[in-house]
Every structure is written in structure tokens, then in C-alpha cells.
Amino acid sequence: MGSVVISLDAELGWGFHDLAEPPTERVEAGRRGWSVMVELFEEFDVPATWAVVGHLMLESCDETHADHPAPAGWFERERTDWAARDDLRFGPDLVADILESDVDHEFASHSFSHVLFGRPETDRELADAELERSRELAAEWNQSIDSFVYPRNDIGHRDVLADHGIAAYRGGSPTRDGVRGVFDSTIRDRSMLVDPAVDEHGLVNVPASMFLFGFEGPARTVAESIWEDPMVALARRGIDEAAHTDGLFHMWLHPNNLTHERDDRRMRAILSHLDSQRSATDLTVETMADVARRVAGPLCVDERATAGWSDD
């Protein structure tokens, strides 16, 4: 019996706050895309893993975070350009939309402030603080954290994840994104499935199969004018492959990828096909935590979560 996982990097402005020139269209689309995805998941009754930046769970802050061991200037944009942009820095209303949904989503972590865990300047103290603060905030929302999605997929400090009781993380995709990725997957008929596995830290790596918005710009416009949305075609192929095997197909996106109605149509087409295959076959939809329980065993995952809170 095959399965499909969908994970989202839910970050609003935090996904771009460290960039010299944040992409305005993507920054402004974060709330729109978040709401659209919540509605689409409810329409098709599809549970997803929402990896949320911890700062979004706050109602307000002092904009300094003096007790946080981040590099100098890390919260600068929050104090300057975005000081009046609460809509980019906070999202308790959006967090509530996930938790109050009729769909049983997984509430996961995308760190506290989108720190890049694989960078040399991110030491163990900073990684620990990012996870600890996220975990504390999640507890205030009566949530525990089983899964972690690395900001910008920059993997590092997996031992720290294990120390905090995390059970699963999203590993890198074995396929390319963009035009080359579409070429490789379509022309070479490369499998879209991935193999989750337990790593040396006892974490379950749930690799990504494909990024759903890796083929954009003029190339996408040309492809859609003469054929169909290539990402929809690839997603359908991955879903079909999972439906007829025992494999796992793992799609991911950011809510801020949905900048226009055509992006909504892409996601609707993918979820509609997923729903059809789920009805016609033994295909299931899992969260990352579900995969971790299946691969490592539910007792192992539960014990890890308990251990992560044992020092509180």
C-alpha cells in the first residue's frame, strides 16, 4: 500500500527576513497562500505536515530577543523595515486555522526564526535555542512537535533534533528542481518515490520527492501554453506510482508560492488527482509523523517525544 505526504514550510516574512532584497511578491503572498491551502486541504480532506516558524505563534514581541543567542543583527529587519508589519512577523490567527481545521494536520517545526542549521555560524547553542523556543511555544498551543523541516533545507545539528525528541525530518530531494528536473524526471522516466529510513541519531529521514514550485517564470508560461502545467503532470505521475506500489511520494511547498490564481489551480489539480486515486486504490495520505511511526514504530516515536520533555 503506497502513500503520499505533503509538507509545507509555513513562514510568512521569516523565510526572507535575512535577505538583502526579499522578493516582494512572495513576501506579500504568504497569508493568502496559507488560507488557500487550508481551504483546499479541507475541500479534499487531505492532512498535511505544517512546519511552522515558531515566532508566528506569538501575539507580540519586544523585537530584540535579547535572550536568544542569534548572530548580531539577526532580528534587524523586525526592528526596522518590518517594525510596523505585524502581518509578516506574527500569525496566531493562521496557526489557529491549522489547529481548528476539520482535517487532522500535523503541527511541525520550521525552527523559531528561520535559522539555517547547516551554516558554520549556527552553533549547537543556537540550534538548541531555536528548537527549545519553538517547543515551548507549541506547548502553549497544546501541541507537541514530532517533525522538523529545515529552513531552506539546510540540514545540520541532527543530534540536537534527537535531543529535543524530534522523530522525523525532511531530507533532501533525490531529484532536481526547475527545467533540468522536469527534463530528468519526464524524459528519463526517473522514479518519483523515496525511501524513509532511520539515521544514526535514531531520526526518521523522510526525503522529499519534489518541490511543487520548482518550475516557474517564462519556462512555465511557455510550457502551459503548449501542453499543461508540467508540475501537475509530474505530481500526478508520482501519485500514480505510489498508488500502484508500496512506495512513498513526498511533495512540498511554501504557502507563499501561491501568488496567483494559476498557482491555486495547480494545487487544486494535484489534490483532486490525489483524492481520485485514494478513492480508487489503497493509496493513503500520511503526515511525516505517521511515516516515522510506521518506519521506527509508534513506541519509539512516543518515547522520543517523552524524552524531549523530560528536562522540563
Side-chain angles (χ1 to χ4, degrees):
M1 180 175 63
S3 66
V4 169
V5 169
I6 303 176
S7 57
L8 301 93
D9 300 20
E11 52 197 32
L12 296 187
W14 292 99
F16 311 100
H17 76 106
D18 58 322
L19 302 181
E21 297 183 4
T24 301
E25 188 174 48
R26 292 270 309 276
V27 169
E28 299 297 338
R31 285 182 164 269
R32 174 198 182 278
W34 192 309
S35 297
V36 169
M37 289 309 305
V38 168
E39 293 172 1
L40 285 174
F41 286 140
E42 288 183 345
E43 179 180 347
F44 293 101
D45 191 23
V46 171
T49 295
W50 287 81
V52 179
V53 167
H55 196 287
L56 299 180
M57 291 183 265
L58 294 171
E59 294 277 357
S60 63
C61 72
D62 62 5
E63 302 176 0
T64 62
H65 305 285
D67 59 343
H68 192 74
W74 183 247
F75 295 101
E76 182 67 20
R77 182 162 267 120
E78 186 179 25
R79 295 192 293 269
T80 56
D81 297 353
W82 291 351
R85 294 300 304 271
D86 285 3
D87 59 318
L88 301 181
R89 297 159 50 216
F90 308 108
D93 54 327
L94 299 177
V95 171
D97 287 344
I98 298 172
L99 300 181
E100 295 171 4
S101 173
D102 292 335
V103 181
D104 189 17
H105 294 300
E106 177 189 5
F107 192 81
S109 175
H110 197 37
S111 79
F112 171 67
S113 62
H114 211 262
V115 161
L116 306 183
F117 276 52
R119 294 288 180 88
E121 59 268 28
T122 302
D123 58 17
R124 184 183 178 87
E125 180 187 14
L126 178 54
D128 182 76
E130 285 281 302
L131 283 164
E132 183 65 22
R133 189 70 179 113
S134 296
R135 195 179 66 171
E136 291 172 350
L137 288 167
E140 293 176 11
W141 287 77
N142 296 315
Q143 300 296 309
S144 59
I145 295 174
D146 291 324
S147 302
F148 186 82
V149 169
Y150 283 99
R152 295 187 196 141
N153 296 307
D154 196 1
I155 296 174
H157 296 289
R158 286 176 294 145
D159 57 328
V160 178
L161 266 64
D163 288 346
H164 280 271
I166 302 298
Y169 66 94
R170 190 180 71 205
S173 172
T175 59
R176 297 182 178 92
D177 294 323
V179 176
R180 182 64 183 274
V182 170
F183 174 84
D184 283 351
S185 297
T186 303
I187 304 301
R188 300 183 183 183
D189 199 29
R190 179 175 293 176
S191 173
M192 306 292 287
L193 304 184
V194 293
D195 295 316
V198 179
D199 70 9
E200 66 271 27
H201 301 288
L203 302 169
V204 177
N205 176 8
V206 187
S209 297
M210 67 176 291
F211 173 45
L212 292 174
F213 287 84
F215 186 83
E216 304 306 306
R220 174 183 176 181
T221 301
V222 170
E224 290 178 341
S225 69
I226 61 175
W227 182 40
E228 67 171 336
D229 184 340
M231 303 309 282
V232 172
L234 282 179
R236 286 174 178 158
R237 205 187 90 197
I239 292 168
D240 291 349
E241 189 177 0
H244 296 98
T245 67
D246 292 329
L248 171 66
F249 178 57
H250 182 180
M251 304 175 276
W252 73 277
L253 71 152
H254 310 86
N256 60 47
N257 289 129
L258 280 70
T259 59
H260 298 287
E261 289 185 2
R262 73 172 186 170
D263 303 316
D264 305 350
R265 290 194 294 271
R266 169 181 287 179
M267 294 310 305
R268 174 178 291 278
I270 292 170
L271 293 177
S272 177
H273 187 72
L274 173 59
D275 186 52
S276 296
Q277 282 289 43
R278 184 174 52 179
S279 299
T281 68
D282 291 331
L283 183 70
T284 62
V285 178
E286 297 182 292
T287 64
M288 288 175 57
D290 291 333
V291 175
R293 292 185 180 92
R294 175 165 57 82
V295 172
L299 184 59
C300 178
V301 174
D302 292 343
E303 287 178 344
R304 185 174 284 278
T306 301
W309 286 97
S310 62
D311 58 347
D312 287 354

